[in-house]
Amino acid sequence: MSFFSSLQEYVSNSVAGLTLSPKRFSLSRNDTGSGSGSGAESPTPSTVRSSSGDSNTPGFPKVLPAPGASPLVQSRRSTLDSLVPAPPVRRTASFRQKSPKATPDHLKRTFCCRRLSWPDIDHQVVSGVQEVDSSYFESFTALSWKQENQRQAIKKMAEKAAMEAHVMESEFGITPIDCCLSQTEREKLYIEMLYTIANTVGAPAPGGQYAHYKEDLYLYGQQAFDVPPDRHYRMLHLAGEEKPPIVVLSVVVLDAEGLEAKDANGFSDPYCMLGIQPVAAPSSPQPPAPPTLSARTLSDVCETTNQINLGNHEKLRKHHSFKLSFKRKDGRVREQRDSIGTALPAKFIRATSVKPHTLNPRWNEKFRFDIDDINNDTLHLDIWDHDDESSVLEAVSKLNEVRGVRGLGRFFKQVCQSARQSSQDDFLGCVNIPLQDIPSTGLEGWFTLEARSQRSSVQGRIRLKMWLSTRENRGCADDDNWTELMQHEALYAAFVDYELRNWSRETWTWSGDLPGPALTILHQHAVQGDLSELQTAMARFVGASRTYLKTSLDPKWMLQLLTEVEHAWGTSNLTREEEMWLAESFNAMLERWLHQLRHHRQLFPALHAPSLARLEYLLRCLAHLSTMKAFWKCCPFNKEIRGEIVAAIRKGTPEWFALMKNSILTPNEYDASFIDFCSEIYYHLHHGLSHYHPLFEGTNGIPYFSVVFKQLDKLMSDEVVAFLNQQESSGAGYMRLIFSVYLEVKDLAAFNQNLPSGGDHKLLLPKCHEWFEPSVSCWLALCKGKALQRVRAAVEMQKICDGEKLVKHNSSAVDVVAMFCQLRDFWRSLQWPRAQSIPLLSQLLDCICSAALLYADIIYQALTESGYFEKLGPFKVTDDMCIAVNNMEYVFKFISLLANYFDFLTLETVAIDNQFIVLTNQLENCLGQLQLRILDILQKVGPLMQDSLKKTMFHLAWSPDSLPINEAMEPLFEYLHYHLQALNIALLPQNFQRVLPEVWEYSLAELNVQMDGNTSGEEIPPNFHERLHVALEMMVSFFHADGQGLSMEVLHSENYYHVEQRLQYHRTDTETLIEKFYSQRLHDQLTTGCTQYGALAVRAYFNHDSLCVEVLQARDVIPLDPNGFSDPFVIIELLPTRVFPHCNEQQTNVHKKTLHPIFDECFEFSVTLEQCRSPGAMIAFTVMDHDVLTANDFAGEAFLSLGTIPGVADNSLGVDNFHGLKPVDLILMQQHQRNQPILQILDFRTTDRYAQDFVRKQKLRFAN
């Protein structure tokens, strides 16, 4: 085979070997082969459970555990599959040789691979323990979602009711008021309408408005009044026989501007002269036209009624007959509407007042003219500058002498000639307006002044307002249009009634828009009756009001009518009779609207959008009415409307409450229907806040919700107290009823947060928890017994939960925690006020903690009876141990979260006296006992492993140097890896984290034992301690596992530092160890505070090339002689000897029989400054008791660092005044640590004479 063929085969086999097996690794320690043939299948996404679980609290079961956990148990998390990796795949034709055996790096990581904690528990396991007590706890937790379901049902019912038929107002005492006319009055009104249509006046309005054929008007009127054709023609004939009315032109001369200045002062004194000019009469601004005069007689508006010749045989005029149905007060006189600026007795031509010294005069004067021929006559107006009193203005007063149209023509001619010849008045311009061009809606505008001839020079313009009307031809003026006003109201009401009769839907959906023929008829009637804009608006509002009192109408339309009345209010004045007529309508509508507001919940359902729109515009009507000048002018003594609305709401709320109570509650009994009643009240309050309150607040500024809630607060409080005062019972059904009512009342009380801030509302519902506190306390007492019973039943019915992705545990743990979750969630749903919740919460904690401790005791007792604590070894992972600690840990985890669940941080701020301490003590005591039980079980692991650890550690310590250290540690690591991995799989992570420190400490202890073995020094290998130090570091790396195992803080425990220090000492030479020993003694000198061995006063300083040490005195030296005294002396020594090799120790004189010797001796040592500044340089003072026959006794020692004395600590070469230095008091010490590491290590060095002598010397200094 060629080289390239071999290479090709190698590459092919290598690629084939990269295929991964579905089962990557085996969990078995012995099975390290490929798992491709095991038949394992990778879990599908549908079978893998989410790491977050299905419970509402991470790591704990749902409030109501559901069955069906068995399919999920079969799927195991994939992290366990990687705990034991498979060996690398051997490829054929590989050039790689097998490498030497080495400790795998994965051993230090895979035994503690992290997993998600709480999915290791099967939260959905079903044991059926709830059936023992008929789901006692679950039934209370279910009250919250039952409450929500009930409210949803109420909402659906309300929505359905809102979409059904409209509620009749008569059901709530709102009776219709029918103000229909009698048959005779309707006939007279119908004739009046026909007469109005037959005698229309005015040209068509701009834009074609009010331009309808008379046939259309007759037809609409006939349909509106429901008149048969024969009767219609008979009445039309009667209307046609009536004498046509006299057409009246009303002219208001408003103002002028830009007139020509005629006086020397640069101004003019303008006035106007105006009249009706027949078509044949001469006109100054127009060329003569052929005479086509019609015979007519102009009557003066002041002409008396006795000038009218009315024959007795004349038919009864329609106006007179119509007036019989609209009676008026006798002697009623109406104001004249003539010019306000002149009192001239002119009959045909009128003149305004003179406005002196102006070019922009303002008159605002009104004139009325009777018209004979509206199709041919013209309004003529001249403007003159008044110069003297005998001018044209005076000539106008002679108009009374003119008779007939021919005389009027001659008079105009004479006036003009006089003006041209002898008059002193100057002509300023004229205007001619054909009457046939004036529309029925009137005409107002600016008219440019014209010249009377081509030679005349005029400028400026004048503004006029003109409209046409009619009056009866009775030979006299009749400015009283009260009859026409009443007719207009009745006619408008008749048209509205007709439209409502033909409206197919509810009457309140009609917008109020009348068709064109109806508007035209009403317009002509208003024009012919000379009704002002205000009178027309009032008539329409009053007519609509009478219809509203009979049937419901759209308040939006009524608001529009009110707006029209207010808009036209300032244009004219009303008579007293008209004010009373309008006030009657205002009061009637106000009463009706307030009555509707009183029952607004039934008439305007909150979930019916059109009804809410009606309510909004009804409130807008009231708001507009309260600001109308017309309303307060006509009704000055009425109460404030805003207060009337509040009163209506206050009257309606108790009535509605009583209606709801009678329709829902069972008579004379409080049962489950009371819950429905509370839910209804809550529902209506909620919608009152979200729907009604914005309408009342936004339109009238009324705090609707505040008014309603304060009333319902009192009403509901009385009902709840009466409910609680009934016969009490401790049964589960009654307690559920009590708590259901509390949940409703609590939610009702929560509405007080929507009241305006500030002020004392004096509400009762927010204190409802006080009414229910005895019931809650009684229930919690019952719960404790039920909980203990549930725990015992859960243990009896428990079953092992084991699966590919589950740690070993029992269903009892899940059942117990599920019960705790029920209690926790139900307490949350109560939302008890924090300041008053601590006593009840203490009861609840007592219930939970008692049940948890009972469960732990049962589990612990069962494990004890199984003989777990009597086992001697070797260690083996047992199901009993794992299940017990996992069950306890699962319960412990829940209990540890209770402080967060119940918000202890907030409770601490509101707690009174020591109430909060009681809670914390309860919780800490329970957690402490649970943890003690768990640790008591897990602490058995270390002793059971001790023998095996001792063997593997002995192998590590005494293996030959030729064996690499990693191979020497392999038995230890394999043993630890095998058992730790098994524990990791079988225990919850928290329990596994508790086991690891235990195993670590026992491993350190065995390493320490091997390090301090009794083997002689000659038998210790040269690198013995060096290898042990490397082994220690490898053990740290193994247990740390790249951050997945123990943390460095836990690993670097006190025992670790002890072992690590001893290993360092073993690797250190004797002289260095002795220096370290003295350094430690110097440190002890600085930190000691005990003076039981006395003190020594010294003074030391460096002076030039010598060290001076003064031993001054000692005090409280311990007595070492039988006589109770000592014979003390002091030995002074410079340390370390390596730094001071030529400085021998010196001593003071012996002082007999004293405990307070005064030495006062000075010693000098010849040393250099560099020696004194060496690290660790110190003076050792040893106080000895001098004995003659026996060896001297040790009394104490003290140490002084040379780096701190004068002359060394600073840069000076010496101390000049050494007598001024303060003495240093050194506390005398003795050695108490008999197992001092350095001394022990030095004692092991039996062949080292220097070490043995030092140890022997120090042993003499141990304290007795």
Side-chain angles (χ1 to χ4, degrees):
M1 181 182 294
S2 64
F3 172 78
F4 292 101
S5 299
S6 302
L7 182 61
Q8 182 179 3
E9 181 182 359
Y10 168 73
V11 174
S12 301
N13 294 334
S14 300
V15 175
L18 294 177
T19 303
L20 296 178
S21 170
K23 183 178 180 183
R24 295 177 56 190
F25 307 113
S26 172
L27 294 179
S28 174
R29 180 171 179 264
N30 300 322
D31 183 14
T32 57
S34 174
S36 60
S38 62
E41 296 179 358
S42 60
T44 61
S46 62
T47 62
V48 177
R49 185 167 67 252
S50 172
S51 63
S52 61
D54 294 330
S55 61
N56 54 349
T57 301
F60 296 108
K62 273 189 175 181
V63 171
L64 295 177
S70 56
L72 300 179
V73 174
Q74 298 174 1
S75 58
R76 189 72 166 119
R77 64 186 183 281
S78 59
T79 53
L80 291 180
D81 297 336
S82 62
L83 293 180
V84 181
V89 179
R90 297 289 297 169
R91 297 185 298 271
T92 59
S94 174
F95 297 118
R96 181 178 299 175
Q97 300 297 325
K98 184 177 180 180
S99 60
K101 183 178 180 181
T103 302
D105 292 337
H106 69 271
L107 291 180
K108 66 181 181 181
R109 296 187 301 272
T110 57
F111 78 89
C112 58
C113 285
R114 287 294 185 186
R115 303 156 309 184
L116 297 177
S117 300
W118 295 113
D120 295 332
I121 296 293
D122 184 5
H123 309 297
Q124 297 180 347
V125 63
V126 177
S127 66
V129 70
Q130 294 87 357
E131 300 175 0
V132 174
D133 52 15
S134 301
S135 300
Y136 182 82
F137 300 98
E138 289 76 9
S139 64
F140 285 93
T141 310
L143 294 178
S144 296
W145 58 262
K146 285 183 179 179
Q147 178 192 44
E148 185 62 27
N149 291 342
Q150 186 175 14
R151 290 177 181 174
Q152 292 297 328
I154 293 175
K155 180 179 179 181
K156 292 180 180 179
M157 292 175 59
E159 291 174 350
K160 182 179 179 180
M163 301 306 295
E164 292 178 355
H166 182 62
V167 180
M168 300 300 295
E169 293 183 351
S170 58
E171 299 177 8
F172 305 100
I174 304 178
T175 57
I177 300 176
D178 195 354
C179 301
C180 296
L181 300 176
S182 64
Q183 183 63 28
T184 303
E185 291 174 340
R186 284 182 63 85
E187 291 180 356
K188 294 176 181 179
L189 181 62
Y190 187 69
I191 295 175
E192 171 66 19
M193 182 196 69
L194 297 177
Y195 185 83
T196 300
I197 297 174
N199 297 280
T200 57
V201 296
Q209 190 179 13
Y210 309 123
H212 291 84
Y213 294 107
K214 290 187 177 182
E215 291 76 6
D216 297 336
L217 303 181
Y218 285 134
L219 178 60
Y220 180 83
Q222 180 185 354
Q223 294 173 349
F225 281 84
D226 195 18
V227 177
D230 55 344
R231 192 173 183 82
H232 166 73
Y233 289 116
R234 185 172 63 85
M235 293 184 177
L236 183 62
H237 178 71
L238 292 176
E241 293 179 351
E242 297 286 347
K243 182 182 295 185
I246 298 175
V247 180
V248 178
L249 172 66
S250 298
V251 181
V252 179
V253 182
L254 298 173
D255 51 10
E257 65 179 13
L259 300 181
E260 185 178 2
K262 295 294 186 179
D263 297 339
N265 58 5
F267 295 98
S268 296
D269 303 323
Y271 65 93
C272 297
M273 182 179 67
L274 65 161
I276 303 302
Q277 180 178 355
V279 67
S283 176
S284 59
Q286 295 181 352
T292 59
L293 298 176
S294 59
R296 73 171 187 170
T297 302
L298 296 177
S299 62
D300 185 61
V301 295
C302 297
E303 191 173 359
T304 60
T305 57
N306 56 13
Q307 295 174 334
I308 306 297
N309 184 15
L310 298 175
N312 294 330
H313 62 277
E314 185 178 5
K315 294 181 180 180
L316 184 62
R317 290 295 306 274
K318 62 182 181 65
H319 288 285
H320 291 277
S321 63
F322 193 84
K323 287 179 182 178
L324 294 177
S325 62
F326 294 85
K327 296 181 179 180
R328 304 183 50 202
K329 298 178 181 179
D330 296 335
R332 182 174 180 272
V333 180
R334 187 176 177 86
E335 275 187 310
Q336 292 289 342
R337 296 189 179 182
D338 281 342
S339 171
I340 61 175
T342 180
L344 295 177
K347 298 177 68 175
F348 303 102
I349 296 182
R350 306 293 176 84
T352 67
S353 60
V354 178
K355 299 298 180 182
H357 310 299
T358 179
L359 301 180
N360 301 296
R362 297 184 181 276
W363 290 285
N364 196 24
E365 299 176 13
K366 181 181 178 181
F367 307 93
R368 299 185 68 189
F369 301 94
D370 290 348
I371 307 300
D372 287 342
D373 189 357
I374 192 172
N375 294 322
N376 298 312
D377 289 353
T378 302
L379 172 67
H380 179 80
L381 181 144
D382 288 340
I383 301 182
W384 299 84
D385 172 38
H386 178 69
D387 286 337
D388 54 36
E389 297 182 358
S390 59
S391 59
V392 177
L393 183 62
E394 185 180 277
V396 173
S397 62
K398 300 179 181 180
L399 189 59
N400 291 326
E401 301 174 2
V402 181
R403 294 291 182 270
V405 178
R406 189 180 304 277
L408 179 62
R410 287 196 301 270
F411 179 77
F412 265 111
K413 182 176 181 180
Q414 293 173 2
V415 170
C416 293
Q417 291 175 353
S418 174
R420 289 193 298 267
Q421 297 174 4
S422 61
S423 174
Q424 298 299 320
D425 287 358
D426 294 322
F427 179 73
L428 297 178
C430 65
V431 171
N432 293 284
I433 302 173
L435 300 185
Q436 64 179 0
D437 295 340
I438 300 176
S440 60
T441 55
L443 181 64
E444 179 179 357
W446 290 93
F447 297 89
T448 303
L449 297 178
E450 302 175 359
R452 59 189 175 185
S453 65
Q454 296 181 353
R455 293 177 298 175
S456 301
S457 175
V458 298
Q459 65 181 31
R461 59 178 184 169
I462 189 171
R463 185 159 66 99
L464 305 175
K465 182 178 180 181
M466 298 161 284
W467 66 91
L468 298 173
S469 60
T470 64
R471 67 179 179 86
E472 298 177 5
N473 189 1
R474 293 179 295 175
C476 67
D478 186 11
D479 287 340
D480 184 5
N481 58 0
W482 172 257
T483 302
E484 286 77 7
L485 184 60
M486 295 295 101
Q487 292 172 351
H488 196 79
E489 175 209 335
L491 193 60
Y492 184 77
F495 290 161
V496 170
D497 288 340
Y498 170 68
E499 294 298 327
L500 291 176
R501 290 197 304 269
N502 294 332
W503 189 250
S504 59
R505 293 180 291 171
E506 292 86 350
T507 56
W508 50 266
T509 60
W510 184 56
S511 63
D513 296 331
L514 293 175
L519 296 177
T520 301
I521 295 173
L522 291 172
H523 171 69
Q524 280 295 327
H525 185 269
V527 169
Q528 296 178 29
D530 195 20
L531 299 180
S532 64
E533 181 183 1
L534 175 60
Q535 289 175 319
T536 303
M538 289 191 305
R540 295 191 177 193
F541 171 74
V542 174
S545 300
R546 298 187 187 279
T547 306
Y548 195 102
L549 297 176
K550 181 172 57 176
T551 180
S552 296
L553 297 179
D554 187 5
K556 183 178 181 181
W557 175 40
M558 300 301 298
L559 177 62
Q560 180 182 354
L561 297 177
L562 283 175
T563 305
E564 293 175 358
V565 172
E566 183 68 10
H567 178 73
W569 178 251
T571 58
S572 59
N573 297 323
L574 297 182
T575 63
R576 180 59 186 166
E577 192 171 15
E578 290 173 338
E579 288 182 1
M580 296 174 61
W581 169 66
L582 184 59
E584 181 183 358
S585 181
F586 279 150
N587 289 325
M589 287 306 301
L590 178 60
E591 182 181 358
R592 174 57 57 88
W593 283 333
L594 292 176
H595 205 163
Q596 288 178 326
L597 290 182
R598 187 172 172 179
H599 304 284
H600 65 277
R601 298 176 182 87
Q602 297 91 336
L603 299 177
F604 310 104
L607 296 182
H608 192 235
S611 296
L612 276 184
R614 287 178 58 205
L615 177 61
E616 178 182 0
Y617 280 102
L618 189 152
L619 292 170
R620 290 184 183 276
C621 287
L622 292 172
H624 188 69
L625 194 65
S626 65
T627 59
M628 287 181 62
K629 297 178 181 178
F631 175 77
W632 293 112
K633 175 66 176 177
C634 299
C635 310
F637 303 107
N638 278 36
K639 297 180 181 179
E640 185 187 9
I641 294 181
R642 185 175 181 273
E644 295 284 342
I645 297 175
V646 173
I649 297 174
R650 289 177 174 167
K651 290 179 182 179
T653 299
E655 296 174 355
W656 168 80
F657 185 84
L659 180 65
M660 295 291 295
K661 178 181 176 181
N662 296 332
S663 62
I664 298 176
L665 289 182
T666 305
N668 302 323
E669 184 179 355
Y670 287 101
D671 52 10
S673 62
F674 191 72
I675 304 174
D676 301 334
F677 175 66
C678 294
S679 297
E680 286 284 352
I681 300 299
Y682 174 87
Y683 171 81
H684 285 281
L685 264 179
H686 174 72
H687 287 290
L689 177 63
S690 58
H691 294 86
Y692 294 135
H693 178 75
L695 296 181
F696 283 85
E697 179 74 25
T699 56
N700 292 271
I702 294 175
Y704 170 86
F705 185 78
S706 178
V707 174
V708 172
F709 183 75
K710 289 179 180 179
Q711 286 185 287
L712 291 179
D713 174 79
K714 179 63 171 62
L715 295 172
M716 279 301 301
S717 298
D718 296 341
E719 294 296 330
V720 174
V721 171
F723 168 79
L724 293 175
N725 288 337
Q726 65 182 344
Q727 183 177 1
E728 296 185 357
S729 172
S730 59
Y734 176 77
M735 296 306 297
R736 282 192 291 270
L737 176 62
I738 288 290
F739 283 118
S740 297
V741 173
Y742 169 77
L743 293 177
E744 295 290 348
V745 176
K746 176 259 300 180
D747 290 345
L748 288 175
F751 278 113
N752 72 322
Q753 301 174 0
N754 300 285
L755 296 180
S757 58
D760 185 11
H761 299 293
K762 297 181 180 179
L763 302 175
L764 300 175
L765 285 180
K767 301 178 181 179
C768 63
H769 60 278
E770 298 177 359
W771 311 334
F772 290 88
E773 185 172 1
S775 299
V776 177
S777 179
C778 178
W779 179 78
L780 288 174
L782 294 175
C783 278
K784 184 175 181 180
K786 292 285 186 179
L788 298 179
Q789 179 183 354
R790 174 76 71 91
V791 168
R792 295 187 180 95
V795 175
E796 292 176 0
M797 303 174 61
Q798 70 182 1
K799 55 184 178 181
I800 297 178
C801 301
D802 193 7
E804 191 178 355
K805 286 193 174 182
L806 301 174
V807 298
K808 295 182 179 181
H809 63 284
N810 282 335
S811 61
S812 59
V814 179
D815 291 334
V816 171
V817 171
M819 177 185 65
F820 293 161
C821 289
Q822 305 289 343
L823 291 169
R824 175 204 63 191
D825 293 342
F826 183 64
W827 174 258
R828 283 179 171 178
S829 66
L830 295 182
Q831 296 180 357
W832 210 265
R834 298 186 186 278
Q836 292 80 26
S837 66
I838 295 181
L840 295 178
L841 185 57
S842 178
Q843 278 188 271
L844 179 61
L845 278 180
D846 179 60
C847 174
I848 294 176
C849 293
S850 298
L853 293 178
L854 174 62
Y855 179 72
D857 290 341
I858 295 175
I859 296 299
Y860 187 85
Q861 183 64 29
L863 187 63
T864 303
E865 293 175 357
S866 68
Y868 171 76
F869 293 99
E870 284 75 20
K871 293 181 181 180
L872 299 178
F875 173 75
K876 181 181 178 181
V877 178
T878 61
D879 290 346
D880 293 342
M881 183 271 291
C882 295
I883 290 175
V885 294
N886 286 337
N887 290 344
M888 292 186 187
E889 170 57 29
Y890 191 53
V891 176
F892 175 85
K893 178 65 176 179
F894 179 86
I895 301 298
S896 65
L897 296 176
L898 288 179
N900 292 331
Y901 290 152
F902 298 140
D903 195 8
F904 273 26
L905 291 178
T906 305
L907 288 177
E908 187 176 7
T909 60
V910 299
I912 303 174
D913 299 332
N914 297 326
Q915 289 182 339
F916 182 73
I917 299 178
V918 175
L919 293 181
T920 55
N921 289 342
Q922 283 181 288
L923 197 57
E924 291 174 359
N925 180 54
C926 179
L927 290 174
Q929 294 189 48
L930 287 175
Q931 190 167 17
L932 185 62
R933 294 291 192 187
I934 296 173
L935 292 177
D936 197 18
I937 297 173
L938 294 178
Q939 285 175 354
K940 186 66 176 177
V941 174
L944 292 177
M945 285 187 175
Q946 188 172 11
D947 292 340
S948 299
L949 290 175
K950 182 181 296 184
K951 293 177 182 179
T952 55
M953 203 66 70
F954 182 83
H955 177 269
L956 164 66
W958 301 103
S959 59
D961 291 346
S962 59
L963 183 66
I965 185 63
N966 56 345
E967 295 185 13
M969 296 193 67
E970 186 172 354
L972 173 64
F973 286 159
E974 285 186 353
Y975 175 81
L976 291 174
H977 180 270
Y978 174 74
H979 290 290
L980 291 180
Q981 177 178 302
L983 289 171
N984 187 32
I985 295 174
L987 296 179
L988 287 172
Q990 287 76 8
N991 284 331
F992 182 67
Q993 289 297 321
R994 292 188 180 102
V995 169
L996 277 180
E998 185 76 11
V999 178
W1000 167 246
E1001 293 297 333
Y1002 270 88
S1003 300
L1004 286 177
E1006 292 303 322
L1007 179 62
N1008 187 46
V1009 170
Q1010 297 302 325
M1011 176 181 59
D1012 293 336
N1014 293 326
T1015 307
S1016 60
E1018 290 82 6
E1019 297 180 4
I1020 296 179
N1023 297 325
F1024 178 78
H1025 295 100
E1026 189 72 31
R1027 286 167 61 89
L1028 290 183
H1029 191 272
V1030 175
L1032 177 63
E1033 297 301 324
M1034 293 180 67
M1035 288 170 58
V1036 170
S1037 178
F1038 176 84
F1039 279 92
H1040 183 58
D1042 295 337
Q1044 298 181 15
L1046 293 176
S1047 64
M1048 285 299 180
E1049 289 76 11
V1050 176
L1051 289 170
H1052 292 168
S1053 62
E1054 183 179 356
N1055 289 337
Y1056 167 80
Y1057 283 116
H1058 175 71
V1059 173
E1060 199 271 342
Q1061 186 185 55
R1062 290 174 65 86
L1063 286 175
Q1064 291 288 353
Y1065 290 164
H1066 276 295
R1067 298 160 58 194
T1068 306
D1069 61 275
T1070 301
E1071 187 176 3
T1072 305
L1073 278 180
I1074 293 175
E1075 292 182 4
K1076 288 182 177 293
F1077 176 82
Y1078 281 123
S1079 297
Q1080 293 179 5
R1081 295 300 289 165
L1082 178 61
H1083 180 266
D1084 295 340
Q1085 180 72 59
L1086 298 176
T1087 58
T1088 186
C1090 178
T1091 60
Q1092 67 178 101
Y1093 303 109
L1096 180 66
V1098 299
R1099 184 188 295 123
Y1101 51 90
F1102 183 81
N1103 188 18
H1104 300 291
D1105 291 334
S1106 62
L1107 174 63
C1108 297
V1109 179
E1110 296 183 11
V1111 180
L1112 302 177
Q1113 62 182 357
R1115 67 177 184 274
D1116 299 328
V1117 178
I1118 60 175
L1120 295 175
D1121 293 338
N1123 56 10
F1125 294 98
S1126 293
D1127 302 327
F1129 66 97
V1130 180
I1131 300 174
I1132 302 96
E1133 182 182 9
L1134 299 185
L1135 298 174
T1137 57
R1138 174 181 54 82
V1139 178
F1140 305 99
H1142 304 293
C1143 297
N1144 298 325
E1145 62 181 30
Q1146 302 184 49
Q1147 68 179 32
T1148 64
N1149 296 323
V1150 178
H1151 291 255
K1152 297 291 185 177
K1153 297 181 182 181
T1154 179
L1155 300 179
H1156 308 283
I1158 299 177
F1159 300 103
D1160 200 14
E1161 299 181 35
C1162 181
F1163 303 91
E1164 185 174 353
F1165 296 89
S1166 179
V1167 296
T1168 63
L1169 184 60
E1170 289 73 15
Q1171 288 178 301
C1172 294
R1173 289 180 176 176
S1174 298
M1178 68 184 76
I1179 307 173
F1181 299 92
T1182 304
V1183 179
M1184 302 293 291
D1185 173 47
H1186 182 264
D1187 290 331
V1188 178
L1189 299 178
T1190 60
N1192 296 331
D1193 297 324
F1194 176 74
E1197 61 183 356
F1199 300 88
L1200 178 64
S1201 174
L1202 290 178
T1204 61
I1205 66 174
V1208 178
D1210 49 26
N1211 295 324
S1212 61
L1213 298 178
V1215 178
D1216 296 333
N1217 185 13
F1218 55 85
H1219 294 289
L1221 297 177
K1222 293 183 179 180
V1224 178
D1225 286 340
L1226 300 176
I1227 297 176
L1228 297 177
M1229 303 180 299
Q1230 290 191 5
Q1231 180 68 259
H1232 292 273
Q1233 190 177 359
R1234 294 186 177 272
N1235 295 325
Q1236 214 280 342
I1238 295 179
L1239 295 181
Q1240 286 183 341
I1241 292 172
L1242 291 177
D1243 194 20
F1244 290 154
R1245 299 179 181 180
T1246 56
T1247 59
D1248 188 347
R1249 187 177 181 84
Y1250 182 44
Q1252 293 297 315
D1253 291 343
F1254 180 78
V1255 172
R1256 191 179 305 111
K1257 176 183 177 182
Q1258 294 300 322
K1259 285 182 178 180
L1260 297 175
R1261 301 190 177 191
F1262 285 153
N1264 295 326

